[in-house]
Structure formats: structure tokens, C-alpha cells
Amino acid sequence: MARTAREFAVTGIVQGVGFRPFVHRTAARLGLDGWVANVDGSVHGAVAGEEGDVDAFARCLSGEAPPLARVRRVALRAVRGRAPARGSGFTVRRSEGARTGPREIPPDAATCEACLAELFDPHDRRHRYPFINCTGCGPRATIVEALPYDRVRTTMRRFPMCAACAAEYADPADRRFHAEPIACPACGPRLSWDGLYGDDALRAAVKTVESGGIVAVKGLGGYQLVCDATDAGAVAALRARKHRPTKPFAVMVSDLAAARRVGRVGSVAAGALSTSVRPVVLVAAGPRPLPADVHPGSDRIGLFLPTTGLHHLLLHALDRPLVVTSGNTGGEPIAVDEQAAHHCLDTVADGFLDHDRPIRARHDDSVVQPTGRGLMTIRRARGLAPAALPLPRPAPVPLVAAGAQLKHTFALAEADRVHLSPHTGDLASTATYDAFLSGYDLLRPLVGIEPRAVAHDLHPGYLSTQWARARPLPRVAVQHHHAHLAACAAEHGLTRPFTGVAYDGLGLGDDGTLWGGEVMVADLAGYRRVARFGTAALPGGDAAVRHPWRTALGYLHGAEPLGSPPPERELTDRFAERLDPAARTAIRAMIARDVNCPRVSSAGRLFDAVAALLGLADEVTYEGEAAVRLEVAAGRRRGVPLVQRIVEHGQMWVYDPVPTLADLLRRQADGEPVAELAAAFHRTLADVTAELVARAVDAGAPRTVCLAGGCFVNRRLLADVRRLLRARGLRVLVGRDVPVGDGGIAYGQAAVAAARLTRTTHGRA
């Protein structure tokens, strides 16, 4: 067979995932000569040998790539210049930095089984070494400082390899061949605790947790606060010190067997828990409940398995579930460096388990939940970000999407891909805003995208919008709920029009009111609102979000006049009697005089109002808490639907919530249990949604329906709406890899901006 030679270029997530060692092994197995190297953000090389072997090599590049790799494209061409000589062998060349095309950053990966076996092998030189890793696992996105991905361009450059590690790094037969974070006790990072180091530091941390204390642990992407999840006193102390009174804590367990003792872990959840991502997976609480303070007000518990050797060692020594939550105080970003952590967590933690490997990028834990046979991403961070996502309408110019205000992320887009940043938090403090700025300054050069346009929300009060407006770039303003729907559509590759249902808390509409219960006919470039929820007064704006009883009064006394009679005075008075008289009088006066009472058409705020009317949530401490309590109260009960009324108003269909609330109050007064009424409301909202969509479809709207917005994190609502729409023969799509809530807004903004800029550039949609 004739001898041939080919150059190859592979793009995607192909650096930091063992791709060069894989190429070396493949070429050696096939008897090929040549070379491979990291070139900027891709892998390039050349091979020479028998034609059939070269063809087999090319097929292997994408078909047999390492598990952590994501191959986007393999390009082959004839060798320019001198081909690799026969018998010259195959080598790994020095990396090159010339800009050659798309650049992707590999996410961090949890400790693999091979490294785990070494970690607990007394005869292995890495026995009990917390920073154990190989080409198949370990830190990636949190340590990389520049591309191409080599040790000298990561935070590991501070740790020169010892002779033993250098030998493994250079050995093609070793699984640590070109593992850039390679380390061992002789040359790598080490733990510290108040003057103690290594195993002594670890033992001090273990002793503190055993005695009921709280430890701040420096993890992969930031500090984590750790305590004994079975110790009610320790959990209560963590809540008090962290100023987090009710939001559930995540719990780390040693393995799937331990997870099944505290949670109801089905096959989908088990699969998610076991991946290299190691996300927090929301499951129903299990047969051996943890203290109520771990997940108060919720029947769900967030579980995850160890992500690093350090986590494995902690769990092995303590042999119990551990609360492992973000190392921050309420509203602040997760701490990443030692000085900042000791400053902001000094009053929270009883001790600090530090290490000396710098964290380059802030990554909190990712959060997912099973939805039927699939998964929904709630928070995209460690293990997922900043891996590229598809862009069905390629961006004609590089662009940045500034994101929303809550659950903030930003996005960088070029051509047909989008890099969605890891979760930042709520842009409500200087520290969180600074974290956004530093994250942007880090990610932009890493992925090689220099924006020439910026997309942003309509709301002028969002810090992300203000940042976007300060950029000296062309701007694309994107309505909040259109961005939600575009995120779902883009993830599923839709470019044609679709029907969208966007349910969330609040987002500024193009009419100047606050939206959140919308049905639209849309494509990636634009939308037309075809149905909505009736509006109500939101007394005090954000204050009503924190105090749902205010929202309830806004619906009872300030609902949009759509022709239905208000609830009987006797029924509204029964609710008002529970409230402080002075506060009740003040809020009613605000509504009557329309003082600081923005109008809102929001499914999320309607959930808040119903939760307050049922006595489930007069005050909340985190976004969505009232809706969580309402979903928990409903459980699996079916409930009898409440009264529904849909009217045609202003050339669109409008759901009038007043009859629903009046019926709820009436049935409550008749003694119907809260749980039954909570279930009834869920059924009602699902029925209303299906009817609004059906009317839109009957009028010509597309039969593909995208569901988006934070309300669809509610499993009951999502399941019922999806079932009812599918029963009508409609195709129903919901986000999987992109957060369904505000964490996906930036991705949606990027998709909309790309479509609009394309239309402007080419003069067509």
C-alpha cells in the first residue's frame, strides 16, 4: 500500500484532556511517524505512513477521543513542506501560541477511579496526597492562565516537577504523560492550617468538624464552608454565621450508597452524581433524614459526590455526610484567595484548611435536577463552564452578552459558539460586580474573543446593563423574556419561529411594565407577545418580593380591571387580619394612590401571592422561596382546579388571576386543606398555560413550544404543562445544558444579538 502524509488540526476541548497523549498512543499503535503539538487553542500535527493506517488514524481522532475531550472539527490536508521521515517515530512537540482559530477551555474534572485507587493505596507514592490528578481528571479551568495549555501557563508553574513526576510526564506509556497539573507530595501544593502542614493540617480540620465546628476549605474554584450535616447545632451555627436563614445547603456524601441513605436517588440522578462534572443534584429527601435545618422548607436535598482528593480524604476520615456550601457570606461572591477568605469568613469559620495552589478563576458548584428522563441545569459553574455552547445563527462579529441582574452570568460569542461564564451571583454588591469584571477580563483573552458588539437587558437599573452601556461598542438591547426563550431555542438549534412560554419573577417589558407571565410567538431575532397574565400592583417593588404578603395585597386590591368582580370583602379581610394593622393600612394606601406600585404580569409573583394567602410565606430570604414552599405543600396531590378566566384584551389573550384567587380564598374559608389548595393552584396554572398556548396555536402560532424562565424549575408545573401540551400534539422543548432561569439570560442575549446583527448585515432575517 502506498505511503502518504497528512497534516491535521483538531478544534474543540482538546487541550488539558489528554488529547496529545491519545494522539501519540494512536499514532504509535498504527506505526505512524510524525508529531503533535498544542497550537494556541487547538491541536495540530502531521502523520505519515501507509494510506490505510493514516485513514484509520483520522477516524480515531474524533471517534475514539478521550472522555473529557469534545472534538468540534478535524481538518486534514496534504503536508506542506517536508513530510515526516520513515522510521522517525512520533513525538510531542513544544506548544505554539500563534492564533489559529477557536479556543476552548476544558472544565475541571473530578478525581478519576485510577487516581482514587492510588490515593488510598499505602504503597503508592501519592498515598493520601490531596492534589492527585492525571490527564483524565483534576483542575483545568480554575488554574489556566493562558493558552496553549501547558504547565507554564497555569498556576502550577509555581511548582517545579520533581524527578519522579518529570519522568511520568515524559513517558508516553504513563497516564500522566503531559498531565499539566501533575504533582506529588515532594513537589506539589500542600495543605496548611494555622502553622500545620500536610496530613497534620488535614487532621486538625477533621478534628474541628468532629467537634461540631465549621471549617473553611480551599477547594477547586473557591473556598467552601464545611460542617457535619448530621449535627443540628453545627448546621444552625453555620446558618447564623453565614446569614443564610432558610436557603438549603448542599450535602457531600462519599458515594452512591451514602447518597441513597439520605436521598431518593433514581437512575438519572445516579448518573449525574457519578459524572466527572460532580454537580449538586437535587433529589427528594430519603429514608434517613438529616436535620431539618439542612434544607428547611423544602422536600428536596442537594447531594454531590467528592470532586477532589481532598474531599475524598475528608469524607473518609469523618465517615458522615457533610454540608459543603459556598465560602461566602450572604450576597457576596465565593472567596478564592487566602487573604480575602480569611477576611470575609473569619467570623464564620472556626478554622481554615488552606493550600498554596492559586485559584485563577472563580467557580462555584454546578447544580442540576432530574426532570423525567433528563436533566435540567439550574446553575452552570464548576465542571460545566466555560465549555462552548452552540449558536445556531452564527455571530457575524464577536460579541459579549452582559446577562441579567440575578444569578448573573455573561457570555462571549464568536462564529457558531458561545462561552457562558460560570455563575457569578446576584449583582447587588460591589464585590459581586467586581467578580463579574475580573471574570470577564480573564475569560476574554483565554477564549480569544475581542467583542465588537454588546448585548444587554432592557432594564436600566441592572448593573450589567449599565456596564454594557458604558462599552464603546454597538449595542443590542434584548427583552428579558425573549432572551429566556431564545436561550431554550438556541440550545435546541431552532432558527425558525416557535411559540414560547416565559414564566419568571420580573423582567422589564418593552411597554415599560414588569413582565413575567408571557406567551410569545418568536424567533431568534424578534418576538410578538400573544398572551400574558393580568397585571397587579407590586407595592414597594423589591420590598414586595421579600414580603409576599405585600404582593398578595397587590393582587387583591390592585389587580388589572379585566371585568371580573373583586373577591368578597369578607374573604380579603380574613387574610388581612393576619397582618400588622399599620403595615396593612400603609400598603393599601400605596395601592389606592398608586405610589411606588409598579405593574407586574408575573407568574412568579402570582406564586408568591398564593403562598402568602395560604400562610406559607409572609417573608422570604431568597428568590423563589415562596414558590418552593408552595410546591412542597402541594406534594403529589392532584387537587381540584380553581376557577379560571381568560379574556381577549388589547389584541392578546389575558389570564385574569382575580377569579382564581377569589376561589382560593373561598375554598380556604370553607376549610379546604392548604395542601389541596396548593395542588389546585398548580393544576390551574398548568391548565391556563395549555389553554393560552392552544389559543395562540389555533390563531396560527407554531406548534413547537419553548418553556423558559425560573418558574419552570418547579418540577410539578413543568411536568403538568409539558404533559398537557404534548397531549395536544405539540412539540415541547425546555433547557438542558443552559440554565432555565436567569443564569441562561446571557446565552439567550447572545443568540438574539447574533440573529439581529446577521439580519442587519445581510439585510434579511
Side-chain angles (χ1 to χ4, degrees):
M1 189 177 291
R3 182 176 174 85
T4 188
R6 293 285 186 273
E7 290 182 358
F8 62 88
V10 188
T11 58
I13 299 180
V14 291
Q15 294 192 12
V17 292
F19 204 86
R20 287 175 300 169
F22 152 72
V23 170
H24 187 283
R25 291 192 302 271
T26 302
R29 173 170 56 84
L30 294 170
L32 300 175
D33 302 307
W35 58 272
V36 64
N38 283 340
V39 178
D40 196 56
S42 55
V43 169
H44 288 220
V47 289
E50 299 296 332
E51 187 173 359
D53 293 330
V54 171
D55 290 342
F57 172 84
R59 290 192 296 271
C60 289
L61 288 180
S62 57
E64 299 179 14
L68 299 181
R70 297 293 181 270
V71 175
R72 311 289 181 194
R73 183 170 180 264
V74 177
L76 295 165
R77 65 182 178 189
V79 172
R80 297 169 298 176
R82 182 178 300 177
R86 186 188 298 271
S88 60
F90 197 89
T91 60
V92 177
R93 287 186 178 177
R94 183 185 299 274
S95 298
E96 301 175 24
R99 180 77 162 95
T100 60
R103 307 170 68 169
E104 297 189 35
I105 309 301
D108 293 358
T111 308
C112 68
E113 290 300 320
C115 284
L116 189 59
E118 293 176 345
L119 183 68
F120 290 107
D121 180 358
H123 304 292
D124 193 275
R125 71 187 189 91
R126 292 185 175 86
H127 177 231
R128 294 183 57 78
Y129 183 57
F131 306 97
I132 192 168
N133 69 83
C134 67
T135 54
C137 69
R140 300 293 192 272
T142 53
I143 63 169
V144 66
E145 296 178 317
L147 290 180
Y149 180 77
D150 287 303
R151 189 182 184 91
V152 294
R153 284 176 285 274
T154 74
T155 60
M156 287 300 296
R157 62 186 167 82
R158 297 160 176 80
F159 304 95
M161 284 182 276
C162 65
C165 284
E168 292 171 330
Y169 183 88
D171 182 0
D174 197 286
R175 79 173 196 282
R176 293 188 172 90
F177 180 46
H178 280 273
E180 306 305 342
I182 188 173
C184 75
C187 64
R190 65 173 179 169
L191 298 175
S192 61
W193 172 287
D194 195 24
L196 301 175
Y197 297 94
D199 248 7
D200 290 337
L202 180 61
R203 280 190 287 268
V206 168
K207 184 177 180 180
T208 300
V209 175
E210 283 179 330
S211 61
I214 299 164
V215 173
V217 176
K218 189 177 182 182
L220 272 179
Y223 277 79
Q224 298 168 312
L225 292 166
V226 177
C227 74
D228 181 354
T230 67
D231 184 336
V235 176
L238 178 56
R239 287 209 173 278
R241 297 182 198 176
K242 189 174 160 68
H243 306 297
R244 183 169 163 171
T246 55
K247 192 174 184 179
F249 286 137
V251 175
M252 183 177 281
V253 291
S254 57
D255 52 31
L256 283 177
R260 290 188 172 108
R261 286 192 287 272
V262 295
R264 301 192 183 280
V265 179
S267 58
V268 173
L273 284 166
S274 304
T275 66
S276 64
V277 175
R278 288 294 198 272
V280 175
V281 183
L282 302 182
V283 299
R288 299 185 189 177
L290 294 171
D293 242 6
V294 172
H295 52 107
S298 174
D299 60 351
R300 311 284 284 175
I301 184 170
L303 299 177
F304 64 136
L305 301 188
T307 58
T308 67
L310 176 55
H311 290 126
H312 279 285
L313 292 169
L314 282 169
L315 282 160
H316 180 76
L318 289 161
D319 193 25
R320 70 199 73 180
L322 301 175
V323 165
V324 179
T325 189
S326 305
N328 57 8
T329 53
E332 298 294 306
I334 185 172
V336 294
D337 66 80
E338 188 171 329
Q339 183 177 356
H342 283 249
H343 173 73
C344 71
L345 301 177
D346 185 58
T347 59
V348 181
D350 296 307
F352 290 81
L353 187 57
D354 296 308
H355 62 73
D356 53 351
R357 183 181 67 206
I359 297 171
R360 187 68 177 95
R362 178 183 281 104
H363 282 234
D364 215 324
D365 294 313
S366 294
V367 181
V368 303
Q369 76 172 6
T371 55
R373 290 175 291 180
L375 282 174
M376 171 187 287
T377 299
I378 296 173
R379 185 167 74 191
R380 185 178 170 89
R382 177 193 48 75
L384 294 173
L389 294 160
L391 195 60
R393 284 282 180 88
V397 297
L399 60 91
V400 56
Q405 180 82 349
L406 302 180
K407 301 175 178 62
H408 180 261
T409 62
F410 66 89
L412 289 160
E414 184 176 16
D416 61 352
R417 73 194 194 285
V418 180
H419 299 272
L420 187 60
S421 77
H423 167 86
T424 306
D426 296 347
L427 293 183
S429 70
T430 301
T432 311
Y433 183 70
D434 288 345
F436 157 44
L437 298 182
S438 63
Y440 175 70
D441 287 341
L442 170 66
L443 189 59
R444 189 182 74 253
L446 280 179
V447 298
I449 294 177
E450 194 56 50
R452 290 165 50 196
V454 57
H456 60 85
D457 196 271
L458 296 182
H459 201 303
Y462 286 3
L463 292 181
S464 57
T465 302
Q466 294 171 16
W467 176 85
R469 289 179 171 178
R471 302 301 97 200
L473 299 170
R475 299 193 302 270
V476 181
V478 182
Q479 199 279 323
H480 189 89
H481 302 95
H482 184 209
H484 269 312
L485 295 172
C488 177
E491 181 182 350
H492 289 279
L494 288 184
T495 55
R496 293 186 174 185
F498 57 89
T499 301
V501 179
Y503 287 174
D504 69 353
L506 298 172
L508 185 63
D510 54 25
D511 62 358
T513 66
L514 297 171
W515 295 0
E518 319 304 321
V519 179
M520 299 174 172
V521 173
D523 60 15
L524 293 179
Y527 69 92
R528 175 171 55 90
R529 199 178 181 209
V530 296
R532 64 173 175 84
F533 282 27
T535 66
L538 193 67
D542 287 345
V545 177
R546 298 188 298 272
H547 301 90
W549 63 268
R550 288 178 172 236
T551 305
L553 289 178
Y555 274 95
L556 295 180
H557 302 292
E560 180 180 5
L562 293 170
S564 60
E568 293 93 329
R569 179 65 179 267
E570 178 185 351
L571 297 177
T572 60
D573 284 349
R574 285 172 63 99
F575 168 67
E577 285 171 2
R578 298 189 355 235
L579 308 177
D580 175 78
R584 177 183 68 209
T585 300
I587 296 303
R588 280 178 168 172
M590 288 175 63
I591 296 169
R593 298 171 186 170
D594 193 21
V595 175
N596 192 19
C597 287
R599 307 296 301 180
V600 57
S601 62
S602 167
R605 298 291 78 88
L606 186 58
F607 266 100
D608 290 355
V610 171
L613 291 174
L614 295 179
L616 296 172
D618 284 344
E619 184 176 356
V620 298
T621 60
Y622 66 91
E623 173 73 10
E625 182 178 358
V628 168
R629 294 184 183 183
L630 195 61
E631 182 184 6
V632 171
R636 297 187 177 183
R637 297 168 184 82
R638 288 298 297 157
V640 177
L642 299 158
V643 171
Q644 304 158 33
R645 182 171 182 263
I646 295 174
V647 299
E648 193 171 6
H649 181 77
Q651 297 185 322
M652 69 177 72
W653 295 107
V654 179
Y655 162 53
D656 182 0
V658 171
T660 297
L661 298 180
D663 192 32
L664 180 111
L665 289 172
R666 194 177 302 113
R667 286 163 57 172
Q668 184 183 38
D670 289 341
E672 188 166 341
V674 167
E676 292 295 331
L677 290 171
F681 176 72
H682 280 81
R683 281 197 66 183
T684 302
L685 213 55
D687 289 345
V688 165
T689 304
E691 182 61 25
L692 291 174
V693 170
R695 295 190 187 196
V697 170
D698 288 344
R703 299 183 65 82
T704 294
V705 183
C706 291
L707 307 179
C711 287
F712 286 110
V713 172
N714 183 312
R715 295 161 296 116
R716 169 95 182 232
L717 179 65
L718 174 62
D720 285 352
V721 169
R722 189 156 48 183
R723 174 178 52 80
L724 291 171
L725 294 179
R726 286 175 174 171
R728 294 174 183 262
L730 304 178
R731 180 190 182 200
V732 183
L733 302 176
V734 67
R736 298 171 303 199
D737 298 329
V738 177
V740 71
D742 280 9
I745 285 286
Y747 176 64
Q749 290 172 344
V752 172
R756 289 185 186 168
L757 292 170
T758 298
R759 182 178 60 187
T760 301
T761 302
H762 299 292
R764 58 181 174 82

